[in-house]
Amino acid sequence: MNLSLQDNKKFLIFENSHILTKFLLKEFLEIGERAIKIGGIFNIALSGGRTPVEFYCRLSSVENSDLWRKTHIFWADERFVPFSSEDSNFRMIKSSLLDYIPIPKGNIHPVPTDEENVDIAAEEYKNNLMRHFVYQGGRLPRFDFILLGMGEDGHTASLFPEDPNIDNPHLVTLSVSLAHLKHARVSMTLALINNASYVGILILGAGKAEIARKIMDDRFSCPAAKVNPSHGRLIYFFDREAAAALSNREREYLQDGTISCRII
Ligand code: 6PG
């Protein structure tokens, strides 16, 4: 990755997840305020996994009812399981965030996992997205804020390295059925993610140090490394443990980002 030429990309390392979360919350609120000022609406997509839970819990204490009234929440990906399942991203985000904020029910747009099969769920989710964003003129939806995580194999959302469809520029959503996955899934595609105004990728913990090192190398290709909003900003958020294996040169560059930590 040619760090110096990527103006829309930033790499921030934080001492710990607490400081990182505080910074991310500030970003979220600023982006939301701006989006609402410009268009009267704030469209966001959130991910599952363990990493973002701390952020969702922190976000749940935001009592700004005007913000929540104008915020619409979608899911970057979901497992094809009932909402009541322990593996449901809807359930996780509901119990860490939605249960505590004054957001209208109609602003919550989960993946419809009650459809007959995962292909229909992906298609229906796409239709829901296109209907919601119809005011953008029927073009590919443009999210104001997308939060992603990253797996140790470099997957992000439910875009996995061995899936040939993740690069298809004509798809908005994808149904994902891979042998190693416990459940089939529905995911937003790279085309949709890369059309967003802002994408944050959260990479926390020692278990992510090796993949964090790899994605900084141009020669390494994986779904997370293909996230690159064409007209938006991309911020990688690392904690110190996840950034531990980055080389000196990268680390040197990354020190720039830690200036943000001092703001807090
Ligand atoms: C999911 C995801 C997925 C996740 C990564 C990282 O629903 O599982 O959206 O892409 O972000 O697998 O997961 P952890 O945060 O649990 O490490």
Side-chain angles (χ1 to χ4, degrees), residues 47-52 77 79 89 148-151 155-158 185 208:
S47 288
R50 294 309 306 158
T51 312
D77 69 321
R79 291 159 181 82
N89 284 345
L148 299 174
M150 182 173 76
H155 80 261
T156 190
S158 284
R185 301 189 187 192
K208 302 283 169 70

Side-chain angles (χ1 to χ4, degrees), residues 115-130:
E115 295 292 347
E116 201 176 308
N117 62 51
V118 69
D119 293 333
I120 297 177
E123 183 63 19
E124 203 36 48
Y125 190 45
K126 181 194 88 181
N127 294 338
N128 294 347
L129 277 158
M130 297 311 288

Side-chain angles (χ1 to χ4, degrees), residues 173-206:
T173 61
L174 199 61
S175 72
V176 182
S177 300
L178 296 169
H180 69 87
L181 295 176
K182 183 174 164 199
H183 304 291
R185 301 189 187 192
V186 172
S187 184
M188 291 187 170
T189 58
L190 275 173
L192 179 55
I193 291 169
N194 284 338
N195 200 42
S197 308
Y198 180 102
V199 180
I201 304 189
L202 276 185
I203 307 173
L204 305 186

Side-chain angles (χ1 to χ4, degrees), residues 15-200:
E15 188 54 30
N16 56 50
S17 66
H18 185 81
I19 299 173
L20 185 157
T21 301
K22 198 168 169 187
F23 180 89
L24 181 58
L25 181 62
K26 195 165 154 272
E27 287 266 279
F28 179 92
L29 294 174
E30 280 172 12
I31 294 166
E33 219 169 88
R34 206 176 319 126
I36 289 168
K37 204 165 167 192
I38 294 170
I41 189 165
F42 182 34
N43 292 304
I44 69 173
L46 302 177
S47 288
R50 294 309 306 158
T51 312
V53 174
E54 186 176 347
F55 173 64
Y56 299 152
C57 290
R58 185 81 73 98
L59 197 53
S60 72
S61 65
V62 171
E63 284 170 358
N64 182 339
S65 52
D66 187 55
L67 171 76
W68 292 125
R69 211 176 48 247
K70 291 169 181 162
T71 298
H72 285 256
I73 303 183
F74 288 80
W75 272 250
D77 69 321
E78 180 61 282
R79 291 159 181 82
F80 189 63
V81 295
F83 289 162
S84 57
S85 163
E86 290 208 337
D87 295 328
S88 161
N89 284 345
F90 173 79
R91 179 182 151 134
M92 184 276 275
I93 293 175
K94 180 177 182 301
S95 63
S96 55
L97 173 64
L98 305 178
D99 282 348
Y100 307 99
I101 54 173
I103 187 165
K105 235 180 152 196
N107 292 15
I108 299 170
H109 308 270
V111 175
T113 57
D114 52 353
E115 295 292 347
E116 201 176 308
N117 62 51
V118 69
D119 293 333
I120 297 177
E123 183 63 19
E124 203 36 48
Y125 190 45
K126 181 194 88 181
N127 294 338
N128 294 347
L129 277 158
M130 297 311 288
R131 262 196 300 271
H132 173 74
F133 284 89
V134 71
Y135 68 93
Q136 290 185 350
R139 292 182 297 268
L140 187 63
R142 184 161 171 77
F143 277 92
D144 299 303
F145 179 96
I146 297 184
L147 188 65
L148 299 174
M150 182 173 76
E152 288 167 32
D153 60 353
H155 80 261
T156 190
S158 284
L159 303 173
F160 288 87
E162 60 273 50
D163 191 332
N165 293 316
I166 65 167
D167 281 332
N168 187 329
H170 306 295
L171 294 178
V172 176
T173 61
L174 199 61
S175 72
V176 182
S177 300
L178 296 169
H180 69 87
L181 295 176
K182 183 174 164 199
H183 304 291
R185 301 189 187 192
V186 172
S187 184
M188 291 187 170
T189 58
L190 275 173
L192 179 55
I193 291 169
N194 284 338
N195 200 42
S197 308
Y198 180 102
V199 180

